[in-house]
Amino acid sequence: FFFRDSGNGELGVSFHRLATDESEAKMEGSPWPQGKSLASQDSGGGDMTSPETPESTPGPGDSGKRRKKRERRKKRVTWQQAGDLAKKAVVERKVRKNRALLWLVLLLVLPVSLALLANHYKHKLPLDFLYGRDPPLSHASPHGQAVREQTTQLGLHGESSASDGSSPDVLRMLVPDVFAESFQRVYRDKLAGDVRRLYNKTVEFDVVPFDKWKTTTQEDMKKRSMGRYHVYSILATWIPTFAEQNSIKDLTGLLSNLDSSYWEDVMPQVRENVATYNNKIFALPVDADVFFMMYNSRILGEHNLRPPETWHEWIEVAKKLHGKDLNGDGEADVGACVVTLKNGYSASYFFAFAAPFIQTYGTDEGIFFDPNTMSPKFAAPEYSAILDLYKVVVDHSTHSVIGETSWQEASDLFLQEKCALTFNFHGALKPILTSLKTKEDAEKFRLKMMPGTKVVLSMDGKSLEECDDHRCPFADENQINRAPFYGEGGVAIAFNPHMTPENLEAATSFAISLTGPEDSLPLLTKAGNLLDPYRYSHFKNLGDPESEESKVYGADGWYHQTLLNWQKDYMSAFEHPNGVKDLAIYGKVQYTGESALESVLIDLFEGKANAEESRARLEKAWSILTSRYGNHIQQKMYQKSLGLPTSSLEVPVVILGVVLVSVGTVAFLAFKNRQLSHSLSKEMKNSRTISKWTKLVEDNPASRLMNVLALVREGKQVDTKLVDALMISLMKKSGDFWSPDWNNNEFAKVKENNEDFANYLQFNLMSNFIDNLGTSGRSNSSRGSKKFSRTITDSPKSEQNLRDILKSASVKMKVTASKDIRKHYKVNDKVFSKSLNDIDKCTSSGNSGIHFIQSSEVRTLEDIGCWNIDIFGVSEVSNGHPILTVVHNIFKQDLEVGEFTTSTLLRDLEVNEEKFFRYVQVIESQMHPENVYHNAVHVADVVHNMLWLLTKGEMAARLGLSKFEVFTSLFACMIHDFDHPGVSNDFLVRTSDKRAVLYNNQSVNENWHVAQAFGLLNECHEEISWDESWTEDCLFKFRKLCVSMVLATDMSRHFELLGKFRNRVVSSPNAEEAFNPLDAKDRETVLVMAIKACDIATQGKEWKLARKWAMLVQEEFYSQGDKEKDLGLTVSPLCDRENVDIVKSQIGFIDAVLFPLYEPLSKVLPNAKCVLTQLERSKSMYKKEMAARSSSQKSLKSSSI
């Protein structure tokens, strides 16, 4: 009769007859057919409420022989059904797991890998894939209709619901003063009416000074949803920072339906520099920034000079013109006008000069850092040559005459013809271009792409090398490498990500029209607004002076010939494949501003530092800044800004590998799902064996009674026949109700796999061995029928029953003649008096026969408190004093136990430290080293295990243990095997040892350990009386808890204690709160289980320790078996040197004892789960060892054949 969890939350019940005689078979209270499970009678799947009355109950006329035959047949059927159910459960569980993995791969892993692949190739796909697929906008329609079409293509929601004439809402846009007028003009003239009509919105432009533009933007973004502005105008170099901080809206999904013509009209470099970051759209472009040079053709012609194509030619031209009167005003002029003013973007001018020397392989190479290492390009030794050349450029410029030069001053001096050359942002050159009113002026002041170079920095940075087709793949036919520098990238429109969907819809529609091909041109033509063309449509029809586009330019002062000269060079700069992106990472201002680059350049220009010193300073400054912001963070952002993959997952080969692995995994899991029934037979067998051991050791009458009472408490109707059967079972159960039932078919099955260990469980972990011997043959015993009686033989071939062996005269004579165990195994009768006499001699006469070790001589352990401490190593380094060493380190080191530390325990508890450590040494002196297992090393290990549970296991903290309880638990571990004789309780009982007589065969060793350890304190020996300050009440409580804990280490009480503990844990809704820290009895219960766990924890250690402990304990078992053979006694289970398999016995011990113990304990103390993991490891290692041994034996057999 036993309960089972069917796996679906229901309880199944099955019943096995315990009686074998005919009279009991006729008992009227028999509730159902023998061997037939209740679940098979009830269609409710195991529900115990009101089962149907079986129809196949045997009648009273059945003969006993026929009935027994039927019982055996039904038992076989029952077992077969149980095996089939177990097999089905295992297979179903694995099928569910396999299918879950299959669906996980199909729905998650495979789509993610494909998405990664698509993301990597996103920038290589056609433009309409990234930037929209809908038909082109109809630009012939009125402006309002154009806005309406864009709104529809964006997927926004048609006519605004606010078109009922109510007061309009306000959309606020932050713009700097330099181009605010252009925005306001286009909005006022073209878009205001449509925005009001469609969305009932108005747009207000908050204008800020140019130098406060970024600060104001950042401050508003920090306010998140409380920010003032819906729309921001920002520089492209700010986008990565704002995007990483989620301060601007990701528009990729929102603009997915935007007409592709909107993007196709934008010049490629502008699209990449201003709109996107990390393959996502974050802004709409409204400007394009790039550096150009301008030259004075009159001055160059008069001096027989050509416009420079390279920077070396620039320097030659500047040198020839520098100091000459170029405009006829009688004053010396300069070769070039170069911007050098601090805080005037002077760093951008330097990088515009240096770019062609550094970047040759295209935009994604970059000129600031090595993207693979984030090492500054300044680290190249020959970078100093680039700095030297730039100093020569500056030395022959306005800087040599007027000092630091602003961009406005450079433009004015160029127009005054005080220099023949200049280079600048296009927006800064636009006032010059719009001031040209005649054809002569238009031909005199010409715009040109920035100079390039024929020599570039080598890959190792140690030299400047000539350009060739390999080194400079984008060089022109003259091997001149050009690299247009897109300083600051341009201006864009971004959106507050926290605005409402309604406002976002209106804001994006407004911005699309503002920046689109139809309405954006008037933004760019005004001379002083710094905004530059960025669309191909901005150059449409410029050859016709009467076209609408030419008239827009003309209205803002552009001379038509200037437009024609300007158009080709401007467009080619934004189509160049080697264009250079500006720096766009965290702290750009710190890298390029006065604190770093600008101050170094000024010192270089003024001769305060040479080029090499400047290079070294820049390398150090940039490296420090990168470290400050985080090298990894800056590297990721820099790689994203260049459009490079930021991790190995984005490398195509790896992504393709992920896709292939995902597809392969799908195929493998599908195949495995089909072949599961053929491949799981071995795993199913192992799982069934493990579950049987677990079920057997956890199943007992007390647990079943608790289950029935739980049903009663819940108000369920329990079948009376079920209660009758339980009562019969309990009445027939002699002894401990918490011990398992062994006499059933299931135990017989698992016993076949490991008979030696099954015998050990049945006869050593339930009661004294001698008691089992005396009752094993009783037909009416609760131990079951003769069929399941314990049979232990001297020879494995013998089939004699043990009861018959014990009845034989020869064995009786041997046992009687050998009752004095000292003839064969001597235990010192006066072990304590002898040791105490020695102490007296030592203290009185100075005899050095016993030397107490002083605290200063004890070795300090660095790994104290570590679960896998090598306790054998501790014994070795301490010269055979592991107990003293471990205990001394515990109470001398500051180990946190709950809310206090162990170093204060003895002092706080008024324990005399000197006497206490003497007492510890006396305890250790009586741990017999001839015992290979139960010796001082084992005791030290148990003490240390308890320390781990208290500290890292958090037992003290979770239970709120007092200092008194912590000390007591460690003390109990220290004395739990005091003066252990090296043999079991049953051995002492069977040999009539005086200890067994003294303690009436009950927990003989455990009673001896604790009694004799406290006897030392009761002898009033001053040298070791560490408890002299304690009160009688304190001593009583201390001894009571110690006795409870030490007696719990008797393995014959294992199932009683474990059953009660486990039932408490299982019945609690929260296992971690199953025991009340405020209840002293609850705390004692956990401490009792803790010392049990510590005592048998060896197989929960790392493998090398677990295997060594297994060898030692088995050797001690063998030693006892040898003694039993010498005395003519039946050899105890697991003690026969010739027949016991140590590997199988350890696997059984882990399955049947350790797992059932540590599993509920780890629920109360979750940190102890690591022990369960190590138990699994130890079990797997034993299985490997057994498999290797089996393979070796097969090889030997085959070789012998």
Side-chain angles (χ1 to χ4, degrees), residues 939-1012:
V939 171
D941 185 54
V942 175
V943 173
H944 192 270
N945 293 341
M946 179 62 75
L947 172 68
W948 187 90
L949 281 180
L950 290 168
T951 55
K952 296 181 181 178
E954 297 184 352
M955 181 169 65
R958 289 180 177 273
L959 294 179
L961 297 180
S962 65
K963 296 179 181 180
F964 175 81
E965 289 167 323
V966 169
F967 174 76
T968 305
S969 62
L970 293 169
F971 183 89
C973 291
M974 183 180 70
I975 67 169
H976 86 283
D977 274 338
F978 179 45
D979 189 33
H980 198 289
V983 291
S984 66
N985 288 339
D986 288 311
F987 183 90
L988 299 176
V989 172
R990 294 163 65 197
T991 56
S992 300
D993 185 85
K994 69 166 189 176
R995 300 185 183 187
V997 174
L998 178 63
Y999 296 115
N1000 298 319
N1001 296 353
Q1002 302 299 312
S1003 301
V1004 178
N1005 274 324
E1006 291 72 28
N1007 275 303
W1008 179 265
H1009 302 325
V1010 69
Q1012 300 304 324

Side-chain angles (χ1 to χ4, degrees), residues 304-463:
N304 296 319
L305 299 172
R306 295 183 305 168
E309 297 292 333
T310 68
W311 283 109
H312 288 87
E313 293 177 4
W314 173 293
I315 292 173
E316 291 177 6
V317 171
K319 285 182 177 180
K320 290 180 179 179
L321 299 178
H322 195 69
K324 296 182 179 181
D325 182 3
L326 303 179
N327 60 356
D329 62 358
E331 296 179 357
D333 297 317
V334 295
C337 297
V338 179
V339 177
T340 58
L341 180 67
K342 287 183 185 177
N343 297 323
Y345 294 93
S346 62
S348 295
Y349 293 86
F350 167 72
F351 286 123
F353 163 82
F357 292 94
I358 303 171
Q359 180 173 296
T360 63
Y361 291 117
T363 302
D364 57 3
E365 181 181 0
I367 67 169
F368 303 102
F369 295 93
D370 180 344
N372 296 317
T373 64
M374 212 53 187
S375 172
K377 295 285 188 177
F378 296 122
E382 197 61 18
Y383 205 106
S384 57
I386 301 174
L387 291 168
D388 263 331
L389 285 174
Y390 191 60
K391 186 177 187 305
V392 175
V393 170
V394 172
D395 287 344
H396 297 85
S397 71
T398 49
H399 186 85
S400 65
V401 178
I402 65 174
E404 294 184 23
T405 306
S406 68
W407 69 268
Q408 295 93 339
E409 291 173 328
S411 297
D412 292 343
L413 291 172
F414 180 75
L415 268 177
Q416 297 169 22
E417 300 185 82
K418 302 289 288 182
C419 60
L421 304 172
T422 190
F423 67 96
N424 213 323
F425 289 96
H426 180 270
L429 297 175
K430 197 160 57 172
I432 300 177
L433 296 172
T434 56
S435 68
L436 307 179
K437 304 301 182 183
T438 65
K439 184 175 182 179
E440 179 183 359
D441 286 343
E443 294 298 331
K444 180 194 304 183
F445 298 102
R446 296 295 299 270
L447 188 78
K448 184 177 177 61
M449 189 182 291
M450 289 284 284
T453 178
K454 291 185 176 182
V455 292
V456 296
L457 197 63
S458 63
M459 295 300 293
D460 59 8
K462 296 181 179 180
S463 63

Side-chain angles (χ1 to χ4, degrees), residues 516-530:
E518 183 172 342
D519 299 317
S520 57
L521 183 58
L523 295 172
L524 319 169
T525 54
K526 190 174 179 60
N529 69 357
L530 301 182

Side-chain angles (χ1 to χ4, degrees), residues 860-1055:
T860 299
L861 300 179
E862 298 297 333
D863 53 352
I864 188 76
C866 174
W867 176 254
N868 285 314
I869 187 174
D870 184 1
I871 203 68
F872 299 102
V874 173
S875 179
E876 183 177 350
V877 299
S878 63
N879 294 322
H881 295 286
I883 301 177
L884 174 64
T885 303
V886 169
V887 173
H888 188 275
N889 274 268
I890 290 174
F891 293 115
K892 287 297 184 180
Q893 292 194 36
D894 292 326
L895 306 176
E896 293 186 3
V897 182
E899 298 180 355
F900 48 87
T901 59
T902 56
S903 61
T904 63
L905 274 178
L906 299 182
R907 182 180 66 253
D908 294 344
L909 295 175
E910 298 183 4
V911 173
N912 188 308
E913 290 190 18
E914 181 180 3
K915 295 182 178 181
F916 176 74
F917 289 121
R918 287 181 181 175
Y919 177 85
V920 173
Q921 294 178 63
V922 172
I923 294 293
E924 188 166 45
S925 70
Q926 300 308 316
M927 294 306 302
H928 306 296
E930 62 269 20
N931 296 343
V932 293
Y933 180 79
H934 286 101
N935 52 36
V937 180
H938 165 68
V939 171
D941 185 54
V942 175
V943 173
H944 192 270
N945 293 341
M946 179 62 75
L947 172 68
W948 187 90
L949 281 180
L950 290 168
T951 55
K952 296 181 181 178
E954 297 184 352
M955 181 169 65
R958 289 180 177 273
L959 294 179
L961 297 180
S962 65
K963 296 179 181 180
F964 175 81
E965 289 167 323
V966 169
F967 174 76
T968 305
S969 62
L970 293 169
F971 183 89
C973 291
M974 183 180 70
I975 67 169
H976 86 283
D977 274 338
F978 179 45
D979 189 33
H980 198 289
V983 291
S984 66
N985 288 339
D986 288 311
F987 183 90
L988 299 176
V989 172
R990 294 163 65 197
T991 56
S992 300
D993 185 85
K994 69 166 189 176
R995 300 185 183 187
V997 174
L998 178 63
Y999 296 115
N1000 298 319
N1001 296 353
Q1002 302 299 312
S1003 301
V1004 178
N1005 274 324
E1006 291 72 28
N1007 275 303
W1008 179 265
H1009 302 325
V1010 69
Q1012 300 304 324
F1014 275 94
L1016 289 174
L1017 295 176
N1018 294 336
E1019 292 293 334
C1020 299
H1021 293 280
E1022 290 295 327
E1023 294 82 357
I1024 60 173
S1025 298
W1026 56 264
D1027 60 342
E1028 55 194 1
S1029 298
W1030 283 18
T1031 63
E1032 183 177 349
D1033 181 62
C1034 184
L1035 283 170
F1036 174 80
K1037 293 178 180 179
F1038 173 68
R1039 185 169 183 269
K1040 182 175 181 294
L1041 181 55
C1042 281
V1043 169
S1044 177
M1045 292 180 67
V1046 175
L1047 293 185
T1049 62
D1050 181 0
M1051 289 302 291
S1052 67
R1053 299 184 59 201
H1054 176 77
F1055 290 111

Side-chain angles (χ1 to χ4, degrees), residues 664-727:
T665 303
V666 170
F668 170 75
L669 290 175
F671 174 78
K672 183 180 178 182
N673 193 57
R674 298 187 55 166
Q675 300 297 324
L676 197 59
S677 59
H678 300 287
S679 62
L680 290 179
S681 57
K682 183 177 180 179
E683 290 82 353
M684 184 179 61
K685 180 179 178 181
N686 292 338
S687 299
R688 186 165 64 242
T689 302
I690 293 173
S691 64
K692 296 302 179 185
W693 277 118
T694 304
K695 289 292 184 183
L696 282 171
V697 299
E698 291 179 355
D699 181 49
N700 53 73
S703 294
R704 297 195 293 272
L705 177 60
M706 295 294 290
N707 290 333
V708 171
L709 294 177
L711 293 174
V712 174
R713 182 181 61 185
E714 294 172 5
K716 292 186 178 181
Q717 182 179 358
V718 181
D719 182 47
T720 56
K721 293 182 179 180
L722 178 65
V723 176
D724 291 341
L726 181 58
M727 292 175 62

Side-chain angles (χ1 to χ4, degrees), residues 1066-1124:
V1066 171
S1067 62
S1068 176
N1070 185 353
E1072 294 182 30
E1073 299 177 359
F1075 296 91
N1076 183 7
L1078 301 180
D1079 188 332
K1081 192 64 179 177
D1082 278 6
R1083 297 197 301 272
E1084 179 181 339
T1085 300
V1086 179
L1087 287 175
V1088 162
M1089 296 310 297
I1091 194 172
K1092 285 182 60 62
C1094 294
D1095 191 27
I1096 56 176
T1098 56
Q1099 297 308 303
K1101 301 299 182 73
E1102 62 182 20
W1103 173 240
K1104 66 176 183 179
L1105 294 176
R1107 193 62 179 86
K1108 186 171 184 177
W1109 280 118
M1111 289 293 295
L1112 293 176
V1113 71
Q1114 192 61 54
E1115 181 56 35
E1116 190 165 291
F1117 283 176
Y1118 289 156
S1119 177
Q1120 176 176 320
D1122 294 342
K1123 294 181 177 67
E1124 289 171 334

Side-chain angles (χ1 to χ4, degrees), residues 764-776:
N764 285 65
L765 269 67
M766 293 178 60
S767 63
N768 290 323
F769 180 56
I770 191 67
D771 294 336
N772 287 285
L773 297 182
T775 60
S776 60

